[in-house]
Amino acid sequence: MKTTTRERYAYVALLATAGILGLLLSWTVPAQGIDNSVYDFFFRLHMPAAWPLETEVLGIDEQTLNQFGGVGGIRKALARGIEIIAPAHPRAIAVDIILAEPNAADDELETAFRTVPNVVLSSDLLTEDRWDDPIPRFRALAAGVGHVSADLDRYDAVSRSLPLEKVAGRTRHWALALEAFRASRGGQVTESPGSLEVGGVTIPVHRKEAGDAPMIRIRYVPPARGGIPGYSVAQLVENPKLAAAYAGKVVFAGVTAQTAMRDRWMTPFSGGIAMAGVEMNANAFETIAHQLFLTDASDSLVLLFCAVLVACAGLIYAFAGGWRATALAALLLACTHILPYVTFTYGTVFPYMPGVLCAWLAVVAAASWRHFFTGRILVETTESRARYQRAMQFVTHEMRTPLTAIQGSSELITRYALPDEKRKQIAGLINTESKRLARMIETFLNVERLSAGQMELKREHFSATELVDQCVTRAQPLAERKNIVIGAQAVPDVDLSGDRELMEYAVYNLLTNAVKYSPPETRVVVSGGRARGELRLWVEDRGIGMDKQEVKRVFDRFYRTRKAEATGEAGTGIGLSIVEQIVAQHGGSILVDSTPGKGSRFTLVLPLPN
Ligand code: ADP
């Protein structure tokens, strides 16, 4: 396909617009919603191989609350639970219960805490700059304090990620899961821009923006594998032997009773059923301990991916067409849809919508462009074919008359021994007819080239009066044959600008038509007037005239009125269409007033040069 530089730029601009629009749309709420659903779908589709769990939940469920006197008995229940599991030697205990106020059971709880190693307590954000920290007596015992703030998705409130750090005022707390991990492994948390290092594990973190909290995505233990195991305090009280399950485990203690649960979380697995915060924290611990990290693709990588997709769509439709382009585009779209899943299986979360939107929009834009472009080429070829046909028709119609004259005359000269006088006359006729033919061809071709935009109109200055006089002189012999008088009246002596030869063709045509379609012994008048920067030239006759319908079609190629055919005057129906084009090329117009049986007036309106 041949394209101009401008068209190439327009194509690139169109694709760029499609790409930008795709990116903008991918930031809208519905698109983010779809992104989330797709993430959850991948999450359920591709699960990491089962790993030995390191955590165990110590739950305070409904039954426990009943036994220990309701919500007020939570600390008592916790103390009891720890007391039961302590002999099994758990590795650490992370308590997902806020211990910010003193309570009657605190002595009991303190005693229990002293029986287990690595107690990690929790704190919650009270306000922007205040923590709801544990009371000093517990704090003094704790190996660490971690925050239990959630970071639910702002579109659907599902827990997919966990902020590993929260800051309020001047105090920063690591997440409870991270503190528990640190306590279970020993050592400190060291920070670098893209990761945190603790206990020999490098945790790749993602920050929404520079300065934001470092996030990790939580790999929930699939419900099909039973989630995080554990018992409630009530179960342990009933059967203390169950405590053996806690041997060497990192215990996450917290409320699991649906009625008293402070925090409920939806997870990609939960399908509407809430998970207790304590379990979520245990899951986050497993993610860190077993390095089941899912990292988010960087924004620049997503942008690059989208740009590559748009470029591919552009290239496909620039170099291929038909089914080949469709097949390639389908392949591109399929890859776009599948790639996020493939990267997911390798632990990289690639947002789904930016690529999909960019690829679809770019394919639609490129395909439409191609469609429009090939359509235009088709129109162009149809137009040039039509022009060619017009040329052929012109040759067969208009040229037949002079050609027959030339042919006949030349035959006369060759066949018969004619007197010199006659030979000269015939040779003269051949000469004028061939010149006429050449002029006709020239005029026709010029008008065609002009209307196809392949030729610049000549810009010569010539006198309007001289032009009219010349045409009248040329038409005189024709008029005399019908005893018609051509009168030229008051044509203003002004200069016109344009192609003199073409303008002569136009005026001459109007004059010969007036003579042809008028009965003998009538008058044809050419006159003119000048007003508001234009010259009006009109040719008026008292001929056969035309009705309104006929006037409408008079500029159609090859159209002739019935009355005109009936006059027996030779004609092709081409002349006026050429006149109209010539006048249009000169920036003017042509008007027709006509009454059947009374006569016609053709007016040329031509702009005067400044
Ligand atoms: P041609 O004269 O070769 O037929 P034109 O294109 O010059 O072709 O004119 C087209 C038709 O317009 C004519 O055939 C005729 O029917 C009508 N026409 C043109 N001029 C006049 C006129 N002065 N009076 C009546 N009819 C006219």
Side-chain angles (χ1 to χ4, degrees):
M1 254 190 317
K2 269 194 187 161
T3 47
T4 62
T5 317
R6 233 173 103 188
E7 277 162 353
R8 275 197 289 274
Y9 279 137
Y11 186 50
V12 172
L14 178 74
L15 289 168
T17 313
I20 292 167
L21 192 68
L23 284 175
L24 289 177
L25 285 176
S26 72
W27 287 325
T28 58
V29 175
Q32 302 270 353
I34 298 175
D35 255 345
N36 282 339
S37 308
V38 172
Y39 172 80
D40 294 352
F41 175 67
F42 289 170
F43 202 91
R44 293 190 294 263
L45 201 62
H46 176 83
M47 294 184 237
W51 65 93
L53 297 178
E54 240 182 272
T55 51
E56 196 82 19
V57 168
L58 176 62
I60 295 171
D61 62 357
E62 252 91 17
Q63 211 189 333
T64 312
L65 288 177
N66 284 343
Q67 276 182 23
F68 288 84
V71 179
I74 286 179
R75 287 195 197 179
K76 211 176 171 61
L78 179 63
R80 186 80 188 97
I82 293 174
E83 204 180 291
I84 297 171
I85 63 168
H89 302 294
R91 201 165 172 183
I93 295 197
V95 180
D96 185 8
I97 294 167
I98 302 296
L99 304 171
E101 305 288 333
N103 182 281
D106 284 353
D107 288 345
E108 254 173 86
L109 190 56
E110 190 181 328
T111 315
F113 280 156
R114 286 185 190 280
T115 61
V116 283
N118 302 322
V119 175
V120 180
L121 299 178
S122 52
S123 182
D124 208 354
L125 275 177
L126 266 186
T127 56
E128 281 276 290
D129 54 0
R130 265 194 64 203
W131 284 106
D132 207 8
D133 278 339
I135 49 175
R137 66 185 295 188
F138 292 136
R139 212 180 162 160
L141 285 175
V145 175
H147 79 76
V148 286
S149 290
D151 192 64
L152 302 180
D153 190 281
R154 65 188 153 124
Y155 295 108
D156 55 13
V158 169
S159 161
R160 297 185 180 89
S161 300
L162 178 76
L164 288 183
E165 171 204 277
K166 279 271 168 185
V167 181
R170 292 204 180 152
T171 317
R172 162 174 87 173
H173 284 312
W174 298 115
L176 183 68
L178 183 62
E179 273 294 348
F181 181 69
R182 190 187 60 73
S184 72
R185 299 295 197 271
Q188 291 301 316
V189 179
T190 32
E191 293 174 80
S192 54
S195 63
L196 297 178
E197 197 142 339
V198 59
V201 172
T202 306
I203 309 168
V205 293
H206 174 77
R207 288 173 210 265
K208 278 180 199 150
E209 271 164 44
D212 276 2
M215 310 282 291
I216 56 159
R217 287 189 178 262
I218 307 171
R219 276 279 195 167
Y220 289 93
V221 178
R225 293 181 199 157
I228 305 282
Y231 298 103
S232 72
V233 175
Q235 283 173 310
L236 288 164
V237 169
E238 201 182 310
N239 183 4
K241 279 191 189 147
L242 296 175
Y246 292 84
K249 293 287 171 78
V250 175
V251 179
F252 279 81
V255 179
T256 53
Q258 292 280 329
T259 45
M261 212 150 65
R262 208 169 36 88
D263 43 9
R264 290 155 173 267
W265 319 70
M266 295 298 168
T267 74
F269 279 127
S270 62
I273 302 162
M275 174 185 270
V278 63
E279 268 185 81
M280 188 281 295
N281 285 313
N283 275 291
F285 181 97
E286 293 290 344
T287 310
I288 298 170
H290 293 276
Q291 304 184 33
L292 303 167
F293 302 118
L294 283 169
T295 48
D296 285 68
S298 71
D299 289 348
S300 43
L301 189 65
V302 175
L303 214 63
L304 180 74
F305 175 60
C306 291
V308 169
L309 289 176
V310 171
C312 285
L315 290 174
I316 287 173
Y317 283 96
F319 294 106
W323 67 266
R324 223 171 258 135
T326 314
L328 286 171
L331 190 71
L332 180 77
L333 291 173
C335 289
T336 313
H337 285 267
I338 293 167
L339 189 108
Y341 178 68
V342 176
T343 64
F344 187 91
T345 61
Y346 286 97
T348 302
V349 178
F350 220 96
Y352 187 69
M353 289 310 275
V356 166
L357 283 169
C358 285
W360 273 100
L361 286 175
V363 163
V364 169
S368 321
W369 184 85
R370 169 127 196 156
H371 180 76
F372 158 79
F373 196 74
T374 23
R376 210 199 61 206
I377 287 192
L378 204 71
V379 170
E380 272 175 10
T381 34
T382 323
E383 264 179 18
S384 61
R385 196 175 307 138
R387 264 207 300 278
Y388 173 76
Q389 271 172 359
R390 283 205 299 266
M392 289 315 290
Q393 281 162 334
F394 175 77
V395 169
T396 45
H397 278 80
E398 196 93 325
M399 292 185 190
R400 236 183 3 222
T401 328
L403 269 179
T404 324
I406 294 169
Q407 210 180 350
S409 312
S410 51
E411 260 180 33
L412 273 180
I413 298 181
T414 38
R415 276 205 197 161
Y416 307 104
L418 297 170
D420 268 1
E421 188 64 17
K422 193 74 188 163
R423 285 171 75 96
K424 253 190 203 160
Q425 200 188 347
I426 292 179
L429 183 75
I430 293 178
N431 192 278
T432 26
E433 285 302 312
S434 0
K435 275 187 186 152
R436 189 154 89 90
L437 200 57
R439 236 192 352 258
M440 264 166 58
I441 294 174
E442 188 64 21
T443 310
F444 179 78
L445 291 181
N446 282 351
V447 171
E448 283 298 307
R449 281 189 209 122
L450 277 174
S451 65
Q454 293 162 348
M455 195 179 109
E456 285 258 327
L457 192 73
K458 270 197 219 158
R459 284 273 164 223
E460 47 199 2
H461 282 263
F462 51 88
S463 145
T465 348
E466 271 174 33
L467 176 83
V468 171
D469 284 349
Q470 198 129 15
C471 293
V472 171
T473 317
R474 271 181 66 198
Q476 210 68 52
L478 204 66
E480 277 167 11
R481 262 185 250 160
K482 289 175 87 173
N483 266 341
I484 289 177
V485 178
I486 305 180
Q489 290 176 359
V491 176
D493 190 13
V494 288
D495 255 8
L496 288 170
S497 155
D499 191 316
R500 192 191 184 287
E501 220 164 297
L502 293 183
M503 281 312 295
E504 189 180 320
Y505 179 93
V507 177
Y508 177 72
N509 225 278
L510 296 184
L511 269 175
T512 50
N513 274 353
V515 171
K516 267 165 39 180
Y517 304 117
S518 291
E521 281 154 19
T522 49
R523 231 178 116 76
V524 168
V525 178
V526 193
S527 52
R530 175 189 177 164
R532 276 177 276 117
E534 59 186 31
L535 172 72
R536 285 180 178 241
L537 281 181
W538 56 87
V539 178
E540 212 170 342
D541 62 56
R542 306 236 168 270
I544 56 175
M546 291 170 282
D547 63 27
K548 279 202 180 110
Q549 295 306 317
E550 290 169 331
V551 168
K552 266 190 205 159
R553 299 193 53 197
V554 87
F555 297 107
D556 292 352
R557 258 164 216 261
F558 307 117
Y559 174 76
R560 301 195 74 202
T561 62
R562 276 169 191 233
K563 273 176 277 160
E565 299 259 13
T567 56
E569 289 284 356
T572 57
I574 270 185
L576 278 183
S577 74
I578 294 183
V579 171
E580 192 193 28
Q581 283 193 56
I582 292 174
V583 176
Q585 293 294 336
H586 281 80
S589 57
I590 178 165
L591 312 169
V592 191
D593 301 295
S594 191
T595 318
K598 291 248 161 83
S600 313
R601 181 164 74 175
F602 285 77
T603 312
L604 295 182
V605 184
L606 298 166
L608 285 172
N610 297 323

